[in-house]
Amino acid sequence: MRAAMKPLLKWLHVASAAGFVGVLASMLLLSLTADDSSDSAFAVARRAIQTLGESLGLPSLVLLMLTGMLLTMKQPALVEARWLWAKALLGLLVSGLVLVMVQPGVMRAAALAEMVLQGSMSVRTLEAAIRMERIGVAISVALALLAIGLAVWRPRLGRRPDRR
């Protein structure tokens, strides 16, 4: 049973990383291509972005972080690897961006889109909220891809020990 746990954790970690980056990229794509000529189409797009973030993005992020920590605990030698610490730092940055900037921005934009649908404001008033959301998602995607690159490449990072 224990022998099968590590491959399962690795598979879950890779799958959640792919899912998380895919969700972020989908959210960005939907945000960039949302039709703002029709209030109802715009509100539907904003609801879709919110649903993606809440139902797929956040669970993927939690699973990604949890499996990463469990995999590190299963291989204590990895604690010495500098690339792992860089990857962990990038993971914390991405998590912070998503939890502090992206998801609240998505929720705010979806709520404001409902107000647009009711006719109490125009789509143009949402531009600042949506711009911040897009910037946060784009930075999160870039940092997540960098973390994936570190996991694949596994550079030494830092000086080599003296060999005598």
Side-chain angles (χ1 to χ4, degrees), residues 73-102:
M73 287 173 40
K74 287 200 108 8
Q75 291 180 304
L78 281 179
V79 174
E80 299 295 322
R82 290 185 181 148
W83 68 266
L84 182 77
W85 286 101
K87 185 177 175 237
L89 179 62
L90 288 171
L92 287 174
L93 286 171
V94 169
S95 298
L97 273 172
V98 167
L99 295 174
V100 173
M101 187 176 182
V102 174

Side-chain angles (χ1 to χ4, degrees), residues 148-160:
I148 290 170
L150 278 174
V152 172
W153 180 34
R154 296 182 179 186
R156 281 215 161 137
L157 299 182
R159 294 187 307 183
R160 287 183 147 176

